[in-house]
Amino acid sequence: MRIAGVEMMREIDRIAVEEIGIPAPVLMENAALACIRNLDLTKGYFVVVCGRGNNGGDGFAIARHLYCMDKEVDVFYISEGSDYKTETRTNFRILKRLGVPMIPLSSETMWSFREALKDADVVIDSLVGTGVAKPLRDFLRQVIQEININSKYVLSVDVPSGMNADNGETMGQVIDADMTVTFQCMKRGFLNYDAMSKLGRVIVENIGIPGPVEAKAEKGEFLTDHALARSLVPLRDKTGFKSNYGKVLVVAGSSGFTGAALICTEAAISTGSGLVTLCSREEVFQSLVLRLKEAMSIHPDDLEDGTGRADVVVFGPGLGAGDVTFDMLLRVIKSMQENGGRSKTLLLDADGLNVLKDRTEILTHLDFNVILTPHVGEMSRLCGLSSEVIQKNRIDTARSFAQEHKCIVVLKGYNTVITDGKTAYVNPTGSSAMAQGGMGDALAGIIGSLCGQGLEPLEAAILGTYLHGYIGDELAGENYIVKASEIIEAIPGCMKRLQDSKR
Ligand SMILES: NC(=O)C1=CN([C@@H]2O[C@H](COP(=O)(O)OP(=O)(O)OC[C@H]3O[C@@H](n4cnc5c(N)ncnc54)[C@H](OP(=O)(O)O)[C@@H]3O)[C@@H](O)[C@H]2O)[C@@H](O)CC1
Ligand SMILES: Nc1ncnc2c1ncn2[C@@H]1O[C@H](COP(=O)(O)OP(=O)(O)O)[C@@H](O)[C@H]1O
Ligand SMILES: [K+]
């Protein structure tokens, strides 16, 4: 699914109507019906609050459908301002002719508006949508405040009125919605962490704009969905042999952090790698070796040999942030450069990222693929921006770092961002039930394994983050928290279901 801001939505609308010839009233009608589909129609009394732009037009059309269903409906509308757009005027006039109660909003009608809001089972907010990008005028702010104070349940049409659809910021005052039915694309602003509490449940509804029209206007930003994830799951061949499924070297684990090494290694095995080898820091090597079952091991003195044989190196979980780790990283990089790198991948996680603080230029001259999987703290160390700034601009931060350093960035957390600097994918799966030590180590093993099974690094990162969060969501359905080891146990079953659904 595509992610769009204001300009992209306007362009999609223009192409659909002007170039393809889909009549604008058809789109408005589809938008209205999409909202009707998401309303609780067992309720009896609806108040629709309309602005003068097309968002208001959607609201007038919704009111008509509710009227046709014999619902009690009152329409309050902004009466001052520029002329209605054509489709909005058409829908306004139809309601007038039908005799649907229509009350212009003003200081005189504010009292009856307030009473109607209190009585309404559902308030439909169609004041403004994607057409506004500047601070709202005082009167509109007042109307929004009244809705927020007095309503039991608010459905926002396309965008909670007052929210900037590009960046999620509040333009003076914003509707506190219980549900937002947004049209055609996920709005970019909805991904801003600060915006989320205003949106309620978000439903993205298709309003009949064909995919190729969207594609013409797209800006290379997508939300991963189940269909995309399924399309990426590698199918296991009947005649497959273990070496067909990738050789993964995990370089992880130091004193006090042996769990990270085991979790990462086991995640790679459970995701389907044929051959997984663990190399750790010397002081924990013997104890870790004793705990391995399916995986092999290699002593840190032989790191170059192990790297030379591997298709993928996952470097960093629990490895320690000091000079020893940095030296190990340099040895891995040198060996990968010397062993014909193009098809090989280095995934850096945790301490593999921490040792790059102030040294990220190393990344720009490598002949093999590089994937970085930072959480926001690690990203802050890498790029020098504060966590607050990064969290407000997650897509842009990840994208520009990936572009500058010629690598793939997986910026973890709620709505993980995956980008190669050109395109960006936002992962909708996962929740705070997964906010547990070890979860990131599992993700690193999963993505590394998928790279070894032949997926392009960007694809591996898209599928890996989706699977990781999807399994987390399934387990969180019945559990307060989810452990990394439970994710690992569930990976083969989940991948099997996805594989079977492809065949
Ligand atoms: N994309 C699609 O394919 C489709 C999109 N559709 C729908 O169209 C919506 C976009 O419609 P849009 O472009 O008409 O803008 P919209 O959000 O209604 O806002 C314009 C209104 O805001 C007002 N206003 C402006 N600034 C203001 C301020 N500072 N303070 C206060 N008011 C201010 C401005 O008033 P004015 O200033 O001109 O007097 C005008 O009345 C979109 O969200 C979706 O719902 C569907 O119908 C079907 C297909
Ligand atoms: N609130 C959340 N919503 C979605 N995913 C989350 C959330 N909190 C954590 N996760 C996921 O859990 C993992 C935690 O990784 P990380 O912070 O590196 O943990 P660790 O280093 O302890 O293994 C990441 O993949 C992250 O996206
Ligand atoms: K709205």
Side-chain angles (χ1 to χ4, degrees):
M1 179 191 297
R2 291 184 177 84
I3 297 170
V6 170
E7 192 194 317
M8 179 170 151
M9 281 317 298
R10 206 171 289 141
E11 183 60 3
I12 288 176
D13 194 19
R14 190 196 65 74
I15 299 171
V17 175
E18 289 177 19
E19 291 184 20
I20 306 295
I22 301 174
V26 169
L27 295 180
M28 188 171 277
E29 199 64 12
N30 288 348
L33 287 167
C35 293
I36 292 284
R37 275 199 293 281
N38 287 286
L39 279 172
D40 180 355
L41 295 172
T42 62
K43 302 289 183 195
Y45 177 38
F46 297 80
V47 164
V48 188
V49 196
C50 300
R52 301 182 68 80
N54 283 339
N55 195 255
D58 297 341
F60 292 134
I62 292 168
R64 169 166 40 81
H65 284 287
L66 290 170
Y67 174 82
C68 291
M69 292 170 184
D70 292 331
K71 299 293 174 189
E72 189 184 350
V73 51
D74 284 328
V75 176
F76 287 84
Y77 63 95
I78 302 282
S79 55
E80 301 285 314
S82 56
D83 273 355
Y84 281 137
K85 293 196 179 163
T86 315
E87 297 75 38
T88 303
R89 191 185 312 114
T90 303
N91 277 302
F92 176 83
R93 285 180 178 162
I94 294 172
L95 288 185
K96 277 263 174 199
R97 286 186 208 116
L98 286 171
V100 174
M102 307 202 37
I103 305 108
L105 279 160
S106 69
S107 47
E108 286 79 46
T109 58
M110 205 45 85
W111 184 84
S112 55
F113 179 50
R114 203 171 290 145
E115 293 307 304
L117 291 172
K118 283 183 193 160
D119 290 344
D121 296 312
V122 179
V123 173
I124 292 155
D125 151 40
S126 55
L127 280 163
V128 289
T130 54
V132 184
K134 56 184 185 209
L136 299 180
R137 290 192 286 273
D138 284 347
F139 184 67
L140 200 54
R141 291 188 199 201
Q142 194 192 336
V143 171
I144 290 173
Q145 214 169 7
E146 292 292 346
I147 293 175
N148 285 344
I149 292 169
N150 297 300
S151 313
K152 291 195 267 291
Y153 183 97
V154 182
L155 180 144
S156 279
V157 176
D158 203 21
V159 181
S161 297
M163 181 181 288
N164 183 319
D166 273 335
N167 55 29
E169 280 171 15
T170 299
M171 298 179 291
Q173 190 70 250
V174 64
I175 289 285
D176 201 348
D178 295 281
M179 178 186 278
T180 301
V181 177
T182 198
F183 304 137
Q184 206 66 33
C185 298
M186 173 57 82
K187 302 300 174 294
R188 204 173 197 265
F190 293 2
L191 301 170
N192 178 337
Y193 283 2
D194 294 337
M196 284 172 189
S197 63
K198 303 294 174 196
L199 294 161
R201 189 170 160 217
V202 177
I203 312 274
V204 184
E205 282 279 2
N206 193 302
I207 58 166
I209 297 179
V213 171
E214 274 184 31
K216 272 190 167 180
E218 82 176 32
K219 307 238 184 262
E221 293 177 356
F222 305 87
L223 199 69
T224 311
D225 54 28
H226 201 71
L228 172 62
R230 190 174 50 199
S231 74
L232 294 174
V233 170
L235 293 177
R236 274 176 107 84
D237 187 24
K238 235 180 200 171
T239 59
F241 188 65
K242 60 191 173 187
S243 49
N244 300 133
Y245 299 108
K247 299 188 195 85
V248 177
L249 174 67
V250 174
V251 187
S254 63
S255 183
F257 300 97
T258 48
L262 292 169
I263 288 171
C264 184
T265 305
E266 282 168 18
I269 291 167
S270 285
T271 308
S273 294
L275 294 162
V276 181
T277 304
L278 173 66
C279 177
S280 68
R281 290 277 287 267
E282 174 126 34
E283 69 267 22
V284 293
F285 181 69
Q286 284 308 331
S287 68
L288 274 173
V289 166
L290 293 174
R291 294 161 74 186
L292 298 177
K293 286 181 284 193
E294 293 84 358
M296 296 165 289
S297 60
I298 193 160
H299 190 273
D301 287 348
D302 301 323
L303 182 57
E304 284 82 355
D305 284 350
T307 304
R309 282 197 294 274
D311 303 309
V312 181
V313 180
V314 178
F315 186 99
L319 203 53
D323 289 344
V324 178
T325 294
F326 186 58
D327 286 346
M328 287 172 93
L329 178 58
L330 292 181
R331 287 167 63 200
V332 166
I333 288 175
K334 187 158 178 283
S335 170
M336 288 184 78
Q337 288 285 73
E338 287 169 1
N339 283 286
R342 292 245 167 260
S343 65
K344 299 201 173 197
T345 300
L346 173 62
L347 185 153
L348 296 177
D349 183 44
D351 292 325
L353 300 167
N354 291 331
V355 294
L356 284 181
K357 185 175 184 320
D358 301 325
R359 296 159 165 159
T360 55
E361 71 287 348
I362 295 177
L363 297 171
T364 47
H365 308 294
L366 303 177
D367 289 334
F368 46 84
N369 306 308
V370 176
I371 304 177
L372 312 182
T373 56
H375 56 54
V376 65
E378 289 155 352
M379 191 72 218
S380 168
R381 256 164 258 143
L382 285 174
C383 69
L385 297 171
S386 71
S387 297
E388 292 70 34
V389 170
I390 296 171
Q391 294 297 56
K392 278 193 187 301
N393 302 282
R394 286 171 59 83
I395 298 179
D396 292 335
T397 308
R399 213 168 165 172
S400 63
F401 191 91
Q403 203 166 38
E404 195 181 331
H405 294 84
K406 301 185 178 56
C407 62
I408 285 163
V409 172
V410 177
L411 176 56
K412 294 184 294 193
Y414 187 80
N415 281 343
T416 291
V417 177
I418 304 114
T419 174
D420 60 358
K422 293 189 274 298
T423 53
Y425 288 78
V426 173
N427 182 62
T429 59
S431 75
S432 52
M434 299 174 74
Q436 282 255 321
M439 252 331 149
D441 310 324
L443 180 68
I446 293 170
I447 297 176
S449 170
L450 293 170
C451 287
Q453 292 177 66
L455 267 67
E456 289 298 319
L458 182 68
E459 294 174 342
I462 293 167
L463 176 58
T465 47
Y466 186 86
L467 271 178
H468 181 250
Y470 184 77
I471 296 169
D473 288 344
E474 283 191 333
L475 295 169
E478 307 212 332
N479 294 287
Y480 184 59
I481 60 102
V482 179
K483 290 189 284 191
S485 49
E486 292 168 332
I487 299 272
I488 292 169
E489 263 175 51
I491 296 170
C494 180
M495 288 190 66
K496 166 81 173 140
R497 287 198 300 280
L498 285 170
Q499 178 186 246
D500 288 352
S501 67
K502 267 179 89 154
R503 286 194 196 269

